[in-house]
DNA sequence: CGAATAGTGTCTTTCAGACAGTATGAC
DNA sequence: GTCATACTGTCTGAAAGACACTATTCG
């Protein structure tokens, strides 16, 4: 007896098969007080109630049209931000990461300007807090969120070496000194001012606006990101800091 | 009334909740006859029965311990290869990609030495074939596998520009001329011999073995990949070919 | 004026591209 | 010897690093 695809689909019910749990987790980064911060929540529900974790949740099969839409929804629920930089980092799945059963999570990372962040009233039941990344990476976190956080940090650092990604941590207009500071915070290394400015300007990653802003003494030019180069990559990576005293001779 | 995590888990049944379909798809690349090839299957079952697709399937919640293990199992079932280069490309999920319902797939890409490939007897019911990548990317493919294939190809080309990844398409010992040919096939551009050899050797990506191999006239040194630099990246990307006649003046 | 921050001039270093040259072995 | 393939020498050029320099504003 042969069957058509239509007949097959009429008889098919996804609930007849076991499927893993499928969630989305978010590593939301921002810079505050000269430090890279990540948004963590304190879980309000079982499992791992009370423990710190990356924000996340399940796909709403009715209202979410895509996995990316789920990530956008989660981010908006937590931060009130609708147009952040958002990128998938990795998808981790195994039988042991969640006590409820075989579980898969898609990890996204987001970069936001801290000033655009707004605590969402609808989320007050779940305590959420910006935590210094260096502190977060040594805190005990629920599930395998320590590994997820490390993967997101590694991606951020890597892309900072060869893209203009960190502009997404600043408002639309910024000075090159501000941008350089963000790079230095992420990379944990100081950068040469001239080389940094030359790289950004000559590659066309940022555009002078003609406006200026007074922060300290002399007013500084305001730049904006060149949207035309959103997935631009520099031809070379920023060099690693010279590690002194490697293989010191006695 | 308060509840412990143990009680919560005793009352929890994943099947009480709707979950998306979760699958793993594979873009398995190899080089044959001087061309990049991808392994495609002709679907033996509904939906999309008879159409060409990337090999893939569902997680076996009992025997697969991790998502990566599912990818390894799929690869082994198709090719008999147990230790390939295997990397996750992306995870795509939406409500419309599979007629059976909300579906998520984790896409992996694998690079294998064609000579290590063996048709698996257990897989004979599902016709599988190596297809020239340039042909595969214009063939009609089931589901959204055209997009998945494009994503895998893009990742392969990008990583070829700044890593030694293509060594995984060759046997353990290879000549630098062979490796350069692989690079040229993937990038679709010719590379300078001196620059290529200098880059590979000076960065320590490959190691001279002292053995040699006669292919044409003069015997060539055999090299092996330096496993110590598995996630090594070159400080610069290979340059794009000079596009002539861009903005030709009249 | 000095202090502080913004921004530049210019030399060096690193590493890829170009391309002509030499080396080795089959015939 | 010739031919084909393997391999090298060396110049150029692009872009990053180093660091001293000038410019602008506040007080």
């Amino acid at each position: 007896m042969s069957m058509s695809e239509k007949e097959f689909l009429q008889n098919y019910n996804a609930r007849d098969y076991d499927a893993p749990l499928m969630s989305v987790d978010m590593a939301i980064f921002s810079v505050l007080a000269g430090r890279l911060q990540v948004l963590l929540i304190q879980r309000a529900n079982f499992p791992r109630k009370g423990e710190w974790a990356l924000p996340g949740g399940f796909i709403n099969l009715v209202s979410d049209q895509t996995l990316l839409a789920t990530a956008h929804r989660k981010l908006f629920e937590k931060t009130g931000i609708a147009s952040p930089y958002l990128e998938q980092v990795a998808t981790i799945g195994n039988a042991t990461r969640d006590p409820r059963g075989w579980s898969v999570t898609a990890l996204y990372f987001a970069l936001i300007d801290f000033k655009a962040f707004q605590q969402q009233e609808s989320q007050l039941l779940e305590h959420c807090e910006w935590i210094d990344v260096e502190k977060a990476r040594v805190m005990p976190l629920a599930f395998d969120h320590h590994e997820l956080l490390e993967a997101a940090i590694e991606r951020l650092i890597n892309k900072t070496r060869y893209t203009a990604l960190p502009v997404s941590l600043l408002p639309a207009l910024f000075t090159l000194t501000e941008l350089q500071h963000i790079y230095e915070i992420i990379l944990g290394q100081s950068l040469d001012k001239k080389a940094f400015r030359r790289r950004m300007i000559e590659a066309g990653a940022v555009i002078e606006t003609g406006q200026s802003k007074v922060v300290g003494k002399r007013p500084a030019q305001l730049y904006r990101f060149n949207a035309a180069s959103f997935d631009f990559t520099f031809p070379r990576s920023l060099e690693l800091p010279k590690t002194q005293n490697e293989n010191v001779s006695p």
Side-chain angles (χ1 to χ4, degrees), chain A residues 17-41:
Chain A
Y17 303 90
D18 267 329
L21 299 166
M22 176 77 216
S23 58
V24 169
D25 286 313
M26 308 288 306
I28 305 169
F29 295 107
S30 194
V31 168
L32 180 64
R35 308 277 297 175
L36 187 64
Q37 315 272 328
V38 62
L39 191 68
L40 297 183
I41 57 110

Side-chain angles (χ1 to χ4, degrees), chain A residues 8-246:
Chain A
F8 165 83
L9 289 171
Q10 273 165 352
N11 294 321
Y12 186 90
N13 183 350
R15 300 193 69 160
D16 293 342
Y17 303 90
D18 267 329
L21 299 166
M22 176 77 216
S23 58
V24 169
D25 286 313
M26 308 288 306
I28 305 169
F29 295 107
S30 194
V31 168
L32 180 64
R35 308 277 297 175
L36 187 64
Q37 315 272 328
V38 62
L39 191 68
L40 297 183
I41 57 110
Q42 207 168 6
R43 289 182 58 78
N45 298 308
F46 289 117
R48 306 291 181 254
K49 187 169 169 177
E51 293 181 33
W52 289 94
L54 297 174
F58 294 104
I59 301 166
N60 183 326
L61 297 189
V62 177
S63 66
D64 294 338
Q65 286 301 298
T66 69
L67 201 54
L68 184 61
T70 305
H72 268 112
R73 176 171 61 80
K74 287 285 156 198
L75 188 91
F76 186 80
E77 286 171 5
K78 298 294 172 200
T79 67
I81 290 170
S83 304
Y85 179 82
L86 194 53
E87 151 180 337
Q88 195 182 88
V89 178
T91 298
I92 286 92
N94 61 58
T96 57
R97 59 183 300 276
D98 190 309
R100 287 169 288 191
W102 226 107
S103 156
V104 176
T105 195
L107 173 65
Y108 283 80
F109 93 99
L111 302 182
I112 67 170
D113 168 22
F114 192 84
K115 285 188 285 302
F117 168 76
Q118 296 172 49
Q119 177 77 252
Q120 293 306 101
E121 281 181 31
S122 57
Q123 299 291 308
L124 290 178
L125 51 155
E126 193 155 54
H127 178 62
C128 87
E129 206 170 301
W130 288 99
I131 312 270
D132 191 300
V133 161
E134 290 313 311
K135 187 178 162 200
R137 69 197 304 178
V138 295
M139 271 169 69
L141 297 181
F143 310 111
D144 54 1
H145 286 199
H146 174 75
E147 289 163 56
L148 301 189
L149 177 60
E150 291 296 328
I153 293 169
E154 187 186 350
R155 172 73 60 90
L156 174 60
I157 292 175
N158 282 341
K159 292 197 95 167
T160 297
R161 290 206 172 278
Y162 62 88
T163 72
L165 189 56
V167 294
S168 298
L169 291 162
L170 289 172
L173 298 183
F174 50 84
T175 72
L176 286 183
T177 304
E178 287 168 343
L179 185 59
Q180 186 179 341
H181 283 158
I182 298 281
Y183 270 76
E184 291 173 338
I185 289 164
I186 295 169
L187 297 176
Q189 103 197 41
S190 63
L191 298 172
D192 181 81
K193 182 163 40 170
K194 183 67 204 289
F196 181 81
R197 303 170 80 91
R198 186 178 50 203
R199 178 175 159 108
M200 291 294 160
I201 294 167
E202 288 181 5
V206 297
I207 296 171
E208 207 173 314
T209 60
Q211 301 170 68
S212 63
K213 172 174 151 183
V214 180
V215 185
K217 303 282 178 167
R218 172 173 170 182
Q221 268 292 325
L222 283 171
Y223 288 78
R224 63 181 174 79
F225 179 56
N226 180 3
S229 65
F230 201 72
D231 49 6
F232 171 76
T233 58
F234 292 96
R236 300 196 202 174
S237 274
L238 292 172
E239 289 178 13
L240 291 164
K242 301 238 184 302
T243 38
Q244 290 165 336
N245 304 326
E246 252 186 320

